Every structure is written in structure tokens, then in C-alpha cells.
Amino acid sequence: MKKRLTLLLFFAVLAAYVLDQAKASAQEQPARHPLIIYYSLTSNTRIVAAELGSEFGCERLELTSMRERTGFWKVNCVIDQLFDRDDLPGPVKLDYTQYNPIIIACPIWIHRLASPMRTFLDHKRLTGKDVYVVVTHQGNYEEKNEQAVRQFLADQDMHLKGYGAVLTRGKTEAEIINETKSIIKRNFPEMEKPFSGNSN
Ligand SMILES: Cc1cc2nc3c(=O)[nH]c(=O)nc-3n(C[C@H](O)[C@H](O)[C@H](O)COP(=O)(O)O)c2cc1C
């Protein structure tokens, strides 16, 4: 009887230890649940975001703007950038707070992230998140512009893990997709493909 009780006690302690270890390791390794957040005015960045989405098998959140920006009203894009004006954002249709990492895709306007993305990222909305960034541009984008974007992200307390730029000038959709694929290979090597929910 005494032997059985000792054995039972031993297994109870062992089970408690194993459960405790499992709990601790779940806490140490937060779930990886990636999300692509992007903005696109003339569709180039939408192509990039779609390709990222299919490569990593993850959801996409498109940011929208309530400000008129087509035709003559492209002038609004310029005013936003030159005078650091906030966008008038459309509704954000997904609770992005539970996701990590975040893959940001955004056009460059006047050497900076386009105002709908800047406005979204302002006020430290993605603080503490791991972020990967792909910007699209037409070739008027220098090293110092990239440094300024990197600094902006750091100021918002994001952890930048990878950065790439897609030149869209004169490119077909297929060429933009190919360029996105090479950026993933070259600049985001540690990203797992496809993401599988809770795996680390
Ligand atoms: C208002 C405005 C400003 C832009 N400024 C720049 C710039 O400074 N440098 C550059 O290389 N491209 C610039 N572009 C080009 C866009 O970055 C490029 O076409 C991008 O791929 C557009 O992405 P989208 O089609 O997803 O909107 C600008 C475009 C707009 C509309």
C-alpha cells in the first residue's frame, strides 16, 4: 500500500512538473500570427501585398483614406507630405492588435511613407511589434530616405526585422511580383513560409 502511494505521489509530482514546464514555454514563445498591413493608391503596392499574402499564407488589412486623392486631388497627397498633415483614415476593419509580426507595405510619397500609413503608424499603435517593411517607389528614393523611414519606425517603438524596396516604374504586374519574391528571399530570410498559426 505504502509503495503504491509513493508511486502515485511520484507521478502526481511529475505531471505537475511537466504541466508547469509546458505553461512556462508557452508564455516564453508568444504565438506568431502575422498580418500584412498595406496602403495603395494606384495598385502597385496592392500587387506587392497580395504576393506577400500568398507567400506567407497570412491575412491582409488594407488601409483606406477618406481624402480625395485621384486626378487633380493627388495634390492632397503632396500637401499631406509637405506639411506633415494627417490623413483622414477610413475605418480599420480588423483588430490588428493580436497579430505579430506585422508586414507593412506602402508607397513612397515625396521620399516618405505615404500619409495614410504614417497616420496609422503614428501614436505608437504597433509598439513592440516585429515589423517587416516593403516600400514601393518610382526610383526617386535614396539611402537617406530609407534611413529616415527606419528612424520613423524606431521612434514608434517597432522592431524592424527586414526592409525592402520595390522599384515600380515601367514594371508589369508579373515583374512587380518577381521583385517582391526576390525581396522576400534576400531581405526577409528568417521569415517562415507559410506561417502556421501558433508555431514559432
Ligand atoms: C504624391 C506622390 C508622390 C510620390 N513621390 C515619390 C517619390 O518621392 N519618390 C519615388 O520614387 N516615387 C514617388 N511616387 C511614386 C510612388 O511611390 C509609386 O508609384 C508607388 O509604386 C505607388 O504605389 P501604389 O500604386 O500602391 O499607390 C509618388 C507618387 C505619388 C502619388
Side-chain angles (χ1 to χ4, degrees), residues 2 5-6 14 30-31 40 54 56 62 72 74-75 91 97 111 127 145 148 153 166 170 172 189 191 193:
K2 203 173 160 193
L5 262 177
T6 313
L14 188 70
S40 181
S54 81
F56 295 115
E62 178 167 11
F72 167 79
K74 267 198 184 149
V75 72
T97 56
H111 310 296
T127 291
N145 305 138
L153 299 169
V166 175
T172 62
M191 291 252 293
K193 295 197 289 178

Coordinates of all heavy atoms in Angstrom, one line a residue, residues 2 5-6 14 30-31 40 54 56 62 72 74-75 91 97 111 127 145 148 153 166 170 172 189 191 193:
K2 N 1.9 1.2 0.9 CA 2.8 2.4 1.0 C 3.5 2.6 -0.3 O 3.7 3.7 -0.7 CB 3.8 2.1 2.2 CG 4.4 3.3 2.7 CD 5.2 3.0 4.0 CE 6.1 4.2 4.3 NZ 7.1 3.7 5.2
L5 N 1.2 4.2 -2.8 CA 1.0 5.6 -2.5 C 2.2 6.5 -3.0 O 2.1 7.5 -3.6 CB 0.8 5.8 -1.0 CG -0.6 5.9 -0.5 CD1 -0.7 6.1 1.0 CD2 -1.3 7.1 -1.2
T6 N 3.4 5.9 -2.7 CA 4.7 6.6 -3.1 C 4.7 6.8 -4.6 O 5.1 7.8 -5.1 CB 5.9 5.8 -2.6 OG1 5.7 5.4 -1.3 CG2 7.2 6.6 -2.8
L14 N 5.4 14.5 -10.9 CA 6.0 14.5 -12.3 C 5.0 15.2 -13.3 O 5.4 16.1 -14.1 CB 6.2 13.1 -12.8 CG 6.9 13.0 -14.1 CD1 8.4 13.4 -14.0 CD2 6.9 11.5 -14.6
P30 N 5.6 33.7 -27.6 CA 4.3 34.2 -28.0 C 3.9 33.6 -29.4 O 4.7 33.4 -30.2 CB 4.5 35.7 -28.0 CG 5.9 35.9 -28.1 CD 6.6 34.7 -27.5
A31 N 2.6 33.5 -29.6 CA 2.1 32.9 -30.9 C 2.5 33.8 -32.0 O 2.5 35.1 -31.9 CB 0.6 32.8 -30.8
S40 N -2.5 51.4 -50.7 CA -2.1 51.6 -52.1 C -3.1 52.5 -52.8 O -4.3 52.4 -52.6 CB -2.2 50.2 -52.8 OG -1.9 50.3 -54.1
S54 N 0.3 35.7 -50.3 CA 0.3 34.3 -50.8 C 1.6 33.6 -50.4 O 1.5 32.4 -50.1 CB 0.0 34.2 -52.3 OG 1.1 34.5 -53.0
F56 N 3.3 34.1 -47.6 CA 3.3 33.7 -46.2 C 2.0 33.2 -45.7 O 1.9 32.8 -44.5 CB 3.7 35.0 -45.4 CG 5.1 35.4 -45.7 CD1 5.3 36.7 -46.3 CD2 6.2 34.6 -45.4 CE1 6.6 37.1 -46.6 CE2 7.5 35.0 -45.7 CZ 7.7 36.2 -46.2
E62 N -6.1 46.2 -45.5 CA -5.9 47.4 -46.4 C -6.3 48.7 -45.7 O -7.5 48.7 -45.3 CB -6.6 47.2 -47.8 CG -6.4 48.5 -48.6 CD -6.8 48.3 -50.1 OE1 -7.4 47.3 -50.4 OE2 -6.4 49.2 -50.9
F72 N -6.8 65.5 -60.1 CA -6.2 66.8 -59.6 C -5.9 66.6 -58.1 O -5.0 67.2 -57.6 CB -7.2 67.9 -59.9 CG -6.8 69.2 -59.1 CD1 -5.8 70.0 -59.5 CD2 -7.5 69.5 -57.9 CE1 -5.5 71.1 -58.8 CE2 -7.1 70.6 -57.2 CZ -6.1 71.4 -57.6
K74 N -4.6 64.5 -56.4 CA -3.3 64.0 -56.0 C -2.6 65.1 -55.2 O -1.7 64.8 -54.4 CB -2.5 63.5 -57.2 CG -2.8 62.0 -57.5 CD -1.7 61.4 -58.3 CE -2.2 60.0 -58.6 NZ -1.8 59.5 -59.8
V75 N -3.0 66.3 -55.5 CA -2.4 67.4 -54.8 C -2.5 67.2 -53.3 O -1.6 67.7 -52.5 CB -3.0 68.8 -55.3 CG1 -4.4 69.0 -54.8 CG2 -2.1 69.9 -54.9
P91 N -12.4 53.5 -42.0 CA -12.5 52.5 -40.9 C -11.4 51.4 -41.0 O -11.2 51.0 -42.1 CB -13.9 52.0 -40.9 CG -14.4 52.3 -42.3 CD -13.6 53.5 -42.8
T97 N -4.3 44.2 -33.3 CA -3.5 44.2 -32.1 C -3.0 42.8 -31.7 O -2.0 42.7 -31.0 CB -4.3 44.8 -30.9 OG1 -5.5 44.1 -30.7 CG2 -4.6 46.3 -31.1
H111 N 9.4 61.1 -50.8 CA 10.6 60.5 -50.1 C 10.2 59.9 -48.7 O 11.0 59.5 -47.9 CB 11.7 61.5 -49.8 CG 12.1 62.2 -51.1 ND1 12.7 61.5 -52.1 CD2 12.0 63.5 -51.5 CE1 12.9 62.3 -53.1 NE2 12.5 63.5 -52.8
T127 N 3.5 49.5 -31.3 CA 4.6 49.4 -30.3 C 4.9 48.0 -29.9 O 4.0 47.2 -29.6 CB 4.2 50.2 -29.0 OG1 4.2 51.6 -29.3 CG2 5.2 50.0 -27.9
N145 N 16.6 58.5 -47.5 CA 15.2 58.4 -47.3 C 14.8 57.1 -46.6 O 14.0 57.1 -45.7 CB 14.4 58.4 -48.7 CG 14.8 59.6 -49.6 OD1 15.0 59.5 -50.8 ND2 14.9 60.7 -48.9
A148 N 15.5 57.5 -43.0 CA 14.5 58.3 -42.3 C 13.3 57.4 -42.0 O 12.7 57.6 -40.9 CB 14.1 59.5 -43.2
L153 N 10.2 54.4 -37.8 CA 9.6 53.2 -37.2 C 10.2 52.9 -35.9 O 9.5 52.5 -34.9 CB 10.0 52.0 -38.1 CG 9.4 52.0 -39.6 CD1 10.0 50.9 -40.4 CD2 7.9 51.9 -39.5
V166 N 10.7 48.1 -53.6 CA 10.4 47.6 -55.0 C 10.2 48.8 -55.9 O 9.4 49.7 -55.7 CB 9.0 46.9 -55.0 CG1 8.6 46.5 -56.4 CG2 9.1 45.6 -54.1
G170 N 7.7 51.5 -64.8 CA 7.8 50.8 -66.0 C 7.6 49.3 -65.8 O 7.9 48.5 -66.8
T172 N 5.7 45.6 -65.2 CA 4.4 44.9 -65.3 C 4.1 44.3 -64.0 O 5.0 44.2 -63.1 CB 4.5 43.8 -66.4 OG1 5.5 42.8 -65.9 CG2 5.0 44.3 -67.7
P189 N 15.1 36.7 -44.8 CA 15.4 35.3 -44.8 C 14.9 34.5 -43.6 O 14.6 33.3 -43.7 CB 17.0 35.3 -44.8 CG 17.4 36.6 -44.3 CD 16.3 37.6 -44.6
M191 N 12.1 34.8 -42.1 CA 10.6 34.6 -42.0 C 10.3 33.2 -42.5 O 10.8 32.7 -43.5 CB 10.0 35.6 -43.0 CG 10.1 37.0 -42.5 SD 8.5 37.6 -41.9 CE 7.5 37.7 -43.3
K193 N 7.9 30.3 -44.0 CA 6.9 30.3 -45.1 C 6.2 28.9 -45.2 O 7.0 27.9 -45.3 CB 7.4 30.6 -46.5 CG 8.0 31.9 -46.7 CD 8.2 32.2 -48.1 CE 9.3 31.4 -48.7 NZ 9.5 31.6 -50.2

